[in-house]
């Protein structure tokens, strides 16, 4: 059985690789792949790696279980610490999260939050509460929109330029050549960005490095599309910052600022488990104020799946409240001296007092308006707000639906409105040990079932909702039958729906035209659009690097491949794809055969332009998929 390795701070690994000679760097990938299986956990908590007879590498993590200093990684060989053994051992270990946030400060402002920002799902600690996301994203939270944007310093401009160059080199190399040396350059640039006060840029770089590692190790959870999106975000962030733009949304903040919120009254909507890609687990409980302002309270710490499953009944650490998260999800709090972040996270600063309030059903109180308007309107409003569109992964919308049936790993439903489109339900978190998937599979087995759904729209897919909680539709007979103490909703990440929660077998589903339609008739504008050709080119660039894209530029292939795009009216996408292929193959050389322009900048800008255009076009198609025409068809063009 393999030994679990302690996480290593990115800057420690970057320094170890930087100290290697060019000859040793060429051997690093093979050495890293071979040393993970040789790790041994010692009685004192350290981990050792044996390299032959004379070299023994020892990793001694600090109190937090992470190797954060160069001195915590030692080797007994004569070349240490500039040796291949030490760098390989560090490279085999997982990357540690970004630097933790500072403790929550006492609020100095008296203004309450405007409520314009949707409730985040993060904790007051150093990890993100977005399900399945890396923990460093919490450090990339944007400050309040009303804060003035300070000008970028010289150090920040230099750090952004260095990060852009490292990202461009990594993109040019692709997964096939993006080994430990390329990753180390990104980690070094990410560390410089952190020191310069650019935490969002650092977080984006760490996501790319983790994606490159997952791709090269062929992990089952790796998706090339996710890595492509990570490259797009990193290049966009670094490129804009290097140009001198001081956008707070791109700069980010290392410390989540909490302001005084005064007295608040909040009611629970639901709770959901949080499982980070970096070993953190916990729970986030979504709350709603009477005026519709959204808040959240979360508890996320190291512990992974076990903690995510158990935290649903952990006590709420807020102002001496006696509720646990299960009770708060169906109850409420009256808070005095509240501290609130710009994202709606409630802090537990000194002076905060909280007392429980009786719970309210979704059909009454502040939750009722969530289900009063069509889902298409809620998604359109989300997309129209730049801040909201950037936070779709933590924004919940509600709607009443009729179950159509299963379609692969999806559940097809139709919103219970005239001429409504077919929607797809996917698990909010796909981990098999969490009940999301099992609950949706059981729901799919009841065609015609009326269901009230609260979930987050997935704007990377056509008309897709990821349910967090469900409940019965008021006034309907063929709907869920939940226990009275559940107050009309079930948290899909914690409660398992059983047969007794559904209509009895002798109950006949009401006749419904939309519910009787074949599941295969569900339109998918993304699948039907020729934009997949651009997506394939971009993903080929990430997987195979610049050389793979250059091969597409030779001959008449670009004209034939992108002809369907032009015929569909997507001339901008076609032009950008052809320009990318041509730029990838542009390698001018001087009279001696040397590259006249070795910089990858032009190629990276061409790739970023095509990727940005594709993301906007696909977002337009997704937005259109939420709105059905009177005939039930969806628009297939942006």
């Amino acid at each position: 059985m393999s030994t679990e390795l302690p996480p290593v701070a990115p800057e420690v690994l970057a320094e170890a690789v930087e100290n290697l000679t060019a000859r040793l760097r060429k051997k690093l990938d093979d050495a890293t792949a071979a040393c993970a299986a040789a790790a041994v956990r010692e009685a004192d908590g350290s981990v050792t790696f044996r390299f032959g007879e004379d070299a023994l590498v020892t990793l001694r993590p600090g109190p937090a279980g992470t190797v954060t200093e160069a001195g915590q990684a030692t080797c007994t060989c004569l070349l240490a610490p500039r040796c291949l053994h030490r760098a390989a051992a560090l490279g085999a270990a997982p990357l540690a999260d970004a630097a933790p946030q500072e403790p929550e400060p006492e609020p100095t402002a008296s203004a309450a939050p405007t409520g314009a920002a949707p409730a985040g799902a993060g904790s007051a600690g150093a990890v993100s509460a977005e399900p399945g996301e890396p923990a460093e994203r919490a450090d990339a939270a944007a400050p309040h929109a009303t804060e003035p944007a300070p000008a970028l310093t010289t150090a920040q401009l230099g750090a952004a330029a260095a990060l852009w160059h490292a990202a461009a080199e990594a993109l040019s190399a692709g997964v096939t050549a993006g080994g430990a040396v390329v990753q180390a350059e990104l980690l070094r640039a990410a560390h410089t960005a952190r020191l310069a006060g650019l935490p969002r840029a650092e977080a984006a770089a760490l996501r790319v490095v983790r994606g490159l590692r997952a791709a090269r190790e062929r992990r089952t959870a790796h998706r090339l599309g996710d890595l492509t999106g990570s490259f797009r975000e990193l290049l966009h962030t670094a490129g804009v910052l290097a140009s001198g733009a001081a956008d707070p949304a791109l700069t980010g903040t290392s410390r989540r600022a909490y302001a005084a919120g005064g007295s608040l009254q909040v009611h629970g909507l639901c709770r959901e488990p949080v499982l980070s890609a970096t070993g953190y687990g916990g729970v986030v409980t979504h709350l709603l104020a009477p005026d519709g302002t959204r808040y959240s309270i979360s508890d996320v710490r190291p512990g992974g799946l076990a903690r995510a499953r158990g935290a649903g009944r952990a006590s709420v650490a807020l102002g001496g409240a006696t509720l646990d998260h299960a009770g708060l999800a169906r109850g409420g709090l009256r808070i005095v001296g509240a501290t609130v972040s710009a994202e709606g996270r409630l802090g537990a600063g000194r002076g905060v007092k909280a007392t429980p309030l009786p719970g309210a059903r979704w059909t009454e109180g502040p939750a009722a308006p969530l289900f009063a308007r069509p889902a298409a309107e809620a998604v359109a409003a989300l997309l129209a707000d730049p801040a909201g569109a950037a936070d779709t992964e933590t924004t919940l919308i509600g709607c009443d639906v009729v179950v159509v049936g299963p379609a692969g790993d999806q559940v097809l439903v139709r919103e219970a409105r005239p001429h409504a489109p077919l929607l797809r339900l996917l698990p909010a978190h796909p981990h098999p040990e969490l009940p999301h998937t099992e609950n949706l599979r059981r729901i799919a087995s009841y065609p015609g079932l009326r269901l009230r759904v609260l979930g987050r729209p997935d704007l990377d897919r056509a008309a897709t909702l990821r349910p967090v909680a469900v409940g019965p539709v008021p006034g309907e007979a063929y709907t869920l039958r939940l226990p009275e103490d559940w107050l009309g909703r079930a948290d899909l990440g914690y409660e398992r729906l059983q047969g007794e929660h559904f209509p009895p077998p002798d109950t006949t589903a009401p006749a419904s035209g939309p519910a009787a339609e074949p599941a295969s008739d569900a339109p998918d504008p993304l699948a039907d659009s020729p934009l997949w050709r651009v997506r394939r080119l971009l993903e080929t660039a990430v997987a195979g690097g610049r050389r793979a894209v250059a091969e597409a530029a030779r001959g008449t292939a670009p004209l034939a491949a992108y002809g369907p795009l032009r015929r569909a009216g997507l001339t901008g996408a076609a032009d950008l794809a052809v320009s990318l292929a041509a730029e990838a193959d542009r390698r001018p050389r001087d009279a001696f055969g040397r590259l006249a322009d070795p910089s990858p900048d032009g190629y990276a800008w061409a790739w970023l332009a095509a990727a940005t255009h594709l993301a906007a076009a696909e977002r337009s198609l997704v937005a259109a998929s939420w709105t059905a025409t009177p005939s039930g068809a969806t628009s297939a063009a942006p």
Side-chain angles (χ1 to χ4, degrees):
M1 186 175 69
S2 61
T3 301
E4 183 177 354
L5 303 181
V8 172
E11 61 271 19
V12 174
L13 173 58
E15 182 182 13
V17 176
E18 186 178 21
N19 288 335
L20 296 178
T21 63
R23 181 179 63 86
L24 292 179
R25 289 188 182 191
K26 294 178 181 180
K27 302 179 179 180
L28 181 56
D29 287 331
D30 291 337
T32 300
C35 76
V40 176
R41 173 74 64 174
E42 304 294 342
D44 60 355
S46 63
V47 177
T48 60
F49 304 79
R50 171 67 66 179
F51 293 86
E53 295 295 330
D54 301 324
L56 180 69
V57 176
T58 303
L59 302 184
R60 294 185 175 86
T66 301
V67 177
T68 58
E69 299 178 2
Q72 293 174 335
T74 60
C75 181
T76 59
C77 78
L78 296 177
L79 293 178
R82 301 172 180 270
C83 63
L84 178 65
H85 315 117
R86 180 174 174 272
L90 290 171
L95 284 179
D97 295 328
Q101 293 176 207
E102 301 175 24
E104 176 193 341
E106 285 298 303
T108 57
S110 59
T114 63
S123 69
V127 301
S128 169
E130 297 175 17
E133 285 296 309
E136 70 269 10
R137 181 164 291 192
D139 294 330
H144 198 281
T146 59
E147 294 181 2
L152 293 181
T153 64
T154 302
Q156 288 176 325
L157 290 173
L163 188 57
W164 163 267
H165 180 74
E169 291 284 0
L171 178 68
S172 183
V175 172
T176 55
V181 175
V182 171
Q183 295 170 27
E185 293 298 327
L186 272 173
L187 294 177
R188 169 64 70 183
H191 180 59
T192 303
R194 186 181 77 187
L195 296 179
L198 301 174
R200 174 166 177 173
E202 179 206 14
L206 293 183
R207 279 193 289 276
V208 168
V209 173
R210 287 193 174 102
L212 286 172
R213 283 188 165 196
R216 291 177 62 84
E217 295 170 8
R218 302 183 183 276
R219 300 177 193 169
T220 55
H222 164 69
R223 291 181 66 246
L224 187 57
D226 292 339
L227 181 54
T228 302
S230 297
F231 262 111
R232 184 185 69 243
E233 180 184 357
L234 173 58
L235 288 169
H236 170 73
T237 302
V240 173
L241 289 175
S243 70
D247 185 351
L250 292 179
T251 306
T253 177
S254 296
R255 182 179 63 186
R256 181 172 295 120
Y258 284 78
S263 297
L264 296 176
Q265 180 176 315
V266 293
H267 297 274
L269 277 176
C270 62
R271 62 190 161 135
E272 62 174 319
V274 176
L275 187 58
S276 161
T278 52
Y280 286 78
V283 62
V284 57
T285 298
H286 300 276
L287 307 166
L288 201 60
D291 62 356
T293 304
R294 304 187 186 194
Y295 298 93
S296 66
I297 296 178
S298 57
D299 180 7
V300 184
R301 302 176 188 174
L305 177 63
R307 193 169 194 288
R309 298 173 64 179
R313 292 198 171 275
S315 298
V316 176
L318 181 69
T322 57
L323 289 175
D324 59 15
H325 280 271
L328 179 58
R330 294 186 173 93
L333 288 175
R334 179 176 286 109
I335 307 172
V336 178
T339 59
V340 190
S341 76
E343 301 82 22
R345 297 170 176 88
L346 296 177
R350 295 191 300 270
V352 177
K353 303 295 181 184
T355 55
L357 291 175
R361 297 177 178 271
W362 282 353
T363 55
E364 57 194 28
L370 291 177
F371 305 93
R373 65 173 177 172
E377 290 186 9
V379 172
L382 194 63
L383 292 172
D385 178 15
D391 200 26
T392 53
E393 294 180 351
T394 59
T395 301
L396 302 180
I397 67 173
C399 60
D400 293 346
V401 301
V402 181
V403 175
V404 175
D409 61 344
Q410 306 173 354
V411 181
L412 290 184
V413 300
R414 186 179 291 278
E415 193 174 2
R417 296 179 182 274
H419 308 301
L422 281 171
L423 307 180
R424 298 161 177 80
L425 303 185
L426 283 176
H429 200 296
H431 197 288
E433 296 298 323
L434 296 175
H436 292 98
T437 301
E438 179 185 342
N439 283 331
L440 288 185
R441 186 181 298 117
R442 188 176 287 269
I443 288 172
S445 65
Y446 286 84
L449 182 73
R450 267 60 176 172
L451 198 66
R452 176 156 284 187
V453 177
L454 184 68
R456 60 176 55 84
D458 186 341
L459 297 184
D460 292 329
R461 298 172 180 262
T464 299
L465 194 65
R466 295 187 180 269
V468 173
V470 297
V473 177
E476 294 287 350
Y478 199 72
T479 188
L480 292 177
R481 305 185 178 191
L482 302 180
E484 188 65 25
D485 59 348
W486 286 17
L487 288 184
R489 68 259 206 181
D491 297 328
L492 295 179
Y494 286 107
E495 284 138 355
R496 297 183 183 272
L497 296 175
Q498 307 295 334
E500 62 187 13
H501 299 144
F502 293 88
D506 57 352
T507 305
T508 303
S512 174
E517 294 180 2
S520 59
D521 289 347
D524 189 338
L526 285 183
D528 297 339
S529 169
L531 285 172
W532 65 267
R533 300 170 185 273
V534 182
R535 190 184 317 115
R536 184 174 65 179
L537 178 67
L538 295 173
E539 292 180 354
T540 298
V542 171
R546 181 171 184 167
R547 179 177 299 179
V549 179
E551 294 178 359
R554 302 187 179 111
T556 59
L559 298 178
Y562 306 122
L565 285 168
R566 300 186 189 280
R567 289 192 292 272
L570 301 171
T571 56
D575 291 342
L576 289 171
V578 172
S579 297
L580 171 60
E583 181 64 30
D585 200 36
R586 190 183 67 84
R587 307 284 282 183
R589 298 182 181 274
D590 61 18
F592 298 98
R594 297 171 300 191
L595 284 176
D597 182 16
S599 172
D601 286 358
Y603 170 73
W605 281 118
W607 186 93
L608 180 58
T612 303
H613 184 277
L614 176 66
E618 289 186 333
R619 182 64 61 91
S620 178
L621 287 173
V622 169
S625 70
W626 286 85
T627 305
T629 63
S631 63
T634 356
S635 173

